[in-house]
Amino acid sequence: MEAHLKDLFCRFHQHFGTGPGLGPSSGTCLLKINGISPLFVKSLYRALAALYRTDPWKRLRPGHLFGLRVGKDSDWSNKKQTFPCAQFIGGDGGDLGLHLFKSEQDALKVSLPVETKHEPNVEILRVIFEKESLLSTSNKRMVASLALEPSGTDRYPIIDVARGTSSSGEIRFRDPTMEELKYLIAFIKAITLVHPLLQPESDKVTKNGRNVNFEPFIETVDVQWPAELATAVDLVAVTISYPPNRTYEEKKLASPIKYIEPPKEEEDFSGSRQCAMCEKPVQWDQSLCCGRCKAIIYCGPICQKNHWREAHKSMCGLYKAMMEREEELAMKIFKFNFVVDNSCQWLESMGLHKKGMWRRLCDCYTHYPFGLLPTKSIGAFELWGGLGDKDYPSDKPLANHIIGNRNPVFLSGWSEYYNIRSLPMSSPVAAILSHPLTVYHILTTFVISSKNRLIKGKEVIVHYLGPAAELDWLQAFDEISHLLNGLGNVQIFMIGPEVPSNLLGPVSGLGSRLRVNLVRGLYQEQYTNLPASHMVIALNCGLESYGSWSGALGVIKSINVPVFFTERSELLCTSAKQVLRTSGLHLTHPVGPNPFRSPLREQMHSTNLPSFSNGFIFGVNT
């Protein structure tokens, strides 16, 4: 009986220690490793945080084993791959993490549906995402002293190597070597890009409906070594395969591709909408609209009547007034279809689907984090999706302006801009240029102090909050540099949680009059680390949608510099004004149409209200 209780206690301790089924915390700490630098530890934690944000555990289970190769076998000390098999653990319960194995056979020996069983002489390179409160003392000190980036809100990765002994059956832990960590960071960077490309086999789902099998897959990507490793080459080819024994049939590992094509997805042009009352999907040709305002969509008369009594009656007049501005807001100066029911369909009609910067406008690339769209080239032709030379702005100073007239260009709207840039009104580039030209319009129109600084050849510093899609359009922001026309400078600090960790710092390749710096985090957390701003801008801000705005608005109230927001629709502006009032801020620049709004009218789920990216501008502290 005593032996039985001892065994039971050991199993309990193993299951609820650090790491599923692998015992209590090992007490390892990366700073104990010979030759490791704090900068490399920071790079490793940034890479793991980026992987954590992609949430691989949503689909991947311990039964999904991946093969991996990092560079050539001769690159490693034993002339072979260090840990060429990997799995994600925790998707079915337990701590989230990943395991790397010496071989596929080792992985099969220890892998159970949920936990990891003990097997003598099997080494596992483990990464376990642990709550900060559960870290060992040495790891807590390391996190605090190096200000390491957390994964999620309060989790930090613990990295060690576990090995079962053949004699006593104990699990012993050690710190990984620098070579093992180098192998690990290459895998992390590659799998972050690759795992969203896995395609499920629809006819092979397990009974519980959660553990999905995937189509066989193999892809090679080039990842960049952290600068602090000081390797002879900057890039290394990493091959990820599923299942592990998957091999190339036509491709050769000696010539890896340097970009990832997105998975092919069937496009839905069905035009489905959503009932404002019950949120039930409804086909456009079968939906009903409010007969008075024509703004709100319903699946049938019952929902329409119920919604009228519960909410719509008091708002119908406001919606009617907003709908009456539909004709005024439509940009009929453009010679292309600007009503977009389906972005993929619209891009296809323009010959731009899945090309260049346009990829961020459709749903086919949402699996790529903002700022990390794969690129084969950074030339203007490729960035603009192969548009003709006359259909996108050239990357050079304005041809129509005399060099002696060294003043910023003041623009009233798209017609004037297209004329200055000699662009045909059939060119769709306004859909992307809406972001940089809205920034430029605010800089040169609304704030006298900023305008005067530019005219006098001085620099204007802008804090740009919440960048997302524009992180893939940074080259388009170079148009600001050209419009400055040789006078004045603008430095933009783009701050937000969507900024990828591997893109932090100055952006290269932009004009001499524009500098862009990328900063990851919330504004209220990063503000004290930034140079004082002359202006704050937040495009398509979504004030009513994000709780994190409360802290940022507190900073905005305290710094008392001009702040401008844009929103997609007047309805969102109404909600934003309420959020600002609650925070003690009041509009000093009223809501008005943005002359540099995107010309593409967006389809909303449950309303017909006019909606455009950067549709309306309003401001505080002006």
Side-chain angles (χ1 to χ4, degrees):
M1 185 66 178
E2 183 178 350
H4 171 71
L5 290 175
K6 182 178 180 181
D7 179 68
L8 186 63
F9 176 80
C10 289
R11 286 181 60 80
F12 178 88
H13 210 48
Q14 291 164 2
H15 274 287
F16 296 98
T18 299
L22 283 184
S25 175
S26 60
T28 57
C29 179
L30 296 184
L31 289 182
K32 298 177 183 178
I33 299 172
N34 289 331
I36 199 167
S37 71
L39 288 177
F40 177 73
V41 175
K42 288 186 174 183
S43 293
L44 184 57
Y45 271 62
R46 280 198 300 269
L48 283 164
L51 172 62
Y52 191 92
R53 288 192 296 273
T54 65
D55 196 12
W57 302 275
K58 186 175 181 179
R59 296 196 301 164
L60 301 180
R61 301 292 180 265
H64 297 129
L65 299 180
F66 295 89
L68 64 140
R69 289 180 58 85
V70 179
K72 303 184 293 292
D73 291 349
S74 58
D75 294 336
W76 307 102
S77 59
N78 293 326
K79 306 302 179 185
K80 64 179 182 179
Q81 298 290 311
T82 308
F83 285 95
C85 185
Q87 70 178 172
F88 286 85
I89 54 101
D92 281 335
D95 294 322
L96 299 180
L98 59 96
H99 288 168
L100 271 64
F101 300 92
K102 297 284 189 181
S103 67
E104 182 183 358
Q105 291 71 30
D106 282 355
L108 293 173
K109 284 180 184 178
V110 303
S111 297
L112 294 176
V114 176
E115 61 181 279
T116 302
K117 68 177 180 179
H118 300 169
E119 191 71 24
N121 300 319
V122 172
E123 273 199 332
I124 306 173
L125 175 55
R126 306 189 314 157
V127 179
I128 304 298
F129 293 92
E130 204 43 285
K131 290 184 177 180
E132 184 176 9
S133 60
L134 299 178
L135 298 180
S136 65
T137 303
S138 58
N139 277 304
K140 284 182 179 178
R141 283 200 298 266
M142 178 180 71
V143 167
S145 63
L146 300 183
L148 297 177
E149 181 173 347
S151 299
T153 53
D154 65 341
R155 293 182 180 271
Y156 290 88
I158 301 299
I159 306 170
D160 58 32
V161 178
R163 180 187 182 92
T165 61
S166 56
S167 55
S168 62
E170 293 180 11
I171 301 297
R172 295 183 178 177
F173 302 91
R174 65 171 175 84
D175 285 306
T177 65
M178 268 301 297
E179 183 174 70
E180 289 167 343
L181 290 178
K182 183 180 174 183
Y183 194 90
L184 174 65
I185 196 170
F187 166 68
I188 292 164
K189 289 187 173 186
I191 197 67
T192 300
L193 294 171
V194 165
H195 81 80
L197 305 183
L198 287 165
Q199 295 296 292
E201 292 181 336
S202 57
D203 58 337
K204 293 185 179 180
V205 181
T206 57
K207 292 181 180 179
N208 63 17
R210 295 194 300 170
N211 200 9
V212 179
N213 286 318
F214 297 100
E215 296 281 355
F217 177 88
I218 184 168
E219 191 61 87
T220 301
V221 295
D222 281 355
V223 301
Q224 189 166 20
W225 290 119
E228 55 272 13
L229 283 179
T231 58
V233 292
D234 293 334
L235 302 174
V236 61
V238 182
T239 301
I240 307 290
S241 60
Y242 174 84
N245 56 6
R246 177 74 172 170
T247 59
Y248 278 98
E249 295 176 359
E250 296 182 359
K251 299 177 184 177
K252 295 182 179 180
L253 292 180
S255 302
I257 62 173
K258 296 186 178 182
Y259 64 99
I260 311 171
E261 286 297 333
K264 293 182 178 180
E265 300 177 0
E266 290 192 8
E267 296 159 347
D268 179 15
F269 299 155
S270 60
S272 61
R273 308 294 287 276
Q274 191 178 74
C275 176
M277 183 64 188
C278 68
E279 299 183 348
K280 172 185 173 182
V282 56
Q283 295 299 312
W284 172 243
D285 57 359
Q286 299 173 357
S287 64
L288 294 177
C289 292
C290 171
R292 183 183 177 207
C293 68
K294 305 292 192 298
I296 308 301
I297 297 168
Y298 304 101
C299 62
I302 296 177
C303 277
Q304 183 179 4
K305 291 178 181 177
N306 290 338
H307 195 242
W308 174 263
R309 289 195 301 265
E310 294 182 18
H312 186 58
K313 183 177 181 180
S314 61
M315 298 292 290
C316 189
L318 176 62
Y319 290 159
K320 185 174 185 293
M322 293 177 179
M323 287 295 292
E324 287 172 350
R325 301 190 67 184
E326 186 175 13
E327 189 75 10
E328 171 194 343
L329 294 169
M331 293 193 166
K332 296 184 178 181
I333 57 172
F334 291 100
K335 307 298 183 183
F336 54 81
N337 178 24
F338 46 81
V339 178
V340 180
D341 289 332
N342 182 289
S343 56
C344 291
Q345 187 180 39
W346 180 82
L347 290 167
E348 194 74 54
S349 70
M350 301 295 294
L352 299 171
H353 194 217
K354 299 184 178 180
K355 293 182 181 180
M357 294 187 288
W358 302 99
R359 292 170 293 174
R360 192 49 81 188
L361 287 179
C362 71
D363 294 332
C364 299
Y365 285 78
T366 54
H367 54 285
Y368 283 101
F370 292 115
L372 296 179
L373 281 177
T375 56
K376 292 184 285 187
S377 173
I378 59 172
F381 178 81
E382 291 81 8
L383 284 170
W384 288 109
L387 287 172
D389 290 343
K390 304 292 186 181
D391 290 329
Y392 61 85
S394 58
D395 188 19
K396 56 187 178 182
L398 302 176
N400 296 343
H401 278 65
I402 302 172
I403 295 178
N405 179 21
R406 298 179 64 82
N407 280 321
V409 179
F410 300 106
L411 300 170
S412 60
W414 285 120
S415 293
E416 188 174 0
Y417 170 75
Y418 268 57
N419 180 55
I420 286 174
R421 273 310 210 175
S422 301
L423 296 172
M425 299 310 294
S426 59
S427 169
V429 295
I432 288 176
L433 289 173
S434 171
H435 281 71
L437 263 66
T438 295
V439 172
Y440 186 81
H441 176 63
I442 292 171
L443 284 170
T444 57
T445 304
F446 296 135
V447 183
I448 295 175
S449 59
S450 294
K451 186 190 303 184
N452 288 341
R453 290 185 69 86
L454 292 174
I455 292 174
K456 294 176 181 178
K458 297 181 179 180
E459 183 176 68
V460 175
I461 297 176
V462 178
H463 290 177
Y464 186 113
L465 309 189
E470 51 267 49
L471 293 171
D472 292 294
W473 300 336
L474 292 174
Q475 296 301 319
F477 275 74
D478 212 10
E479 192 65 357
I480 294 175
S481 181
H482 296 314
L483 293 173
L484 288 170
N485 200 32
L487 190 62
N489 298 280
V490 175
Q491 183 171 193
I492 301 176
F493 289 85
M494 291 189 173
I495 311 111
E498 298 287 359
V499 175
S501 299
N502 56 333
L503 296 183
L504 301 181
V507 175
S508 60
L510 300 179
S512 59
R513 296 290 172 184
L514 173 69
R515 289 189 291 161
V516 176
N517 295 271
L518 301 183
V519 180
R520 177 175 175 79
L522 300 176
Y523 188 50
Q524 58 268 33
E525 298 170 349
Q526 298 295 334
Y527 167 70
T528 55
N529 301 322
L530 303 172
S533 66
H534 299 103
M535 183 183 299
V536 177
I537 295 175
L539 304 187
N540 296 324
C541 59
L543 284 179
E544 83 294 344
S545 301
Y546 302 100
S548 59
W549 267 114
S550 59
L553 293 178
V555 173
I556 287 170
K557 186 177 179 180
S558 66
I559 60 178
N560 198 32
V561 300
V563 183
F564 286 88
F565 305 89
T566 68
E567 269 294 10
R568 298 177 183 274
S569 70
E570 285 186 282
L571 182 61
L572 291 175
C573 292
T574 301
S575 301
K577 286 189 288 184
Q578 181 59 46
V579 173
L580 291 171
R581 283 195 295 269
T582 303
S583 301
L585 292 163
H586 300 277
L587 293 193
T588 53
H589 183 86
V591 174
N594 174 16
F596 289 100
R597 61 190 176 277
S598 168
L600 305 183
R601 177 169 172 174
E602 301 172 343
Q603 174 182 277
M604 309 301 286
H605 287 301
S606 301
T607 80
N608 294 319
L609 293 173
S611 178
F612 309 83
S613 178
N614 299 317
F616 300 85
I617 295 180
F618 52 98
V620 299
N621 298 340
T622 58

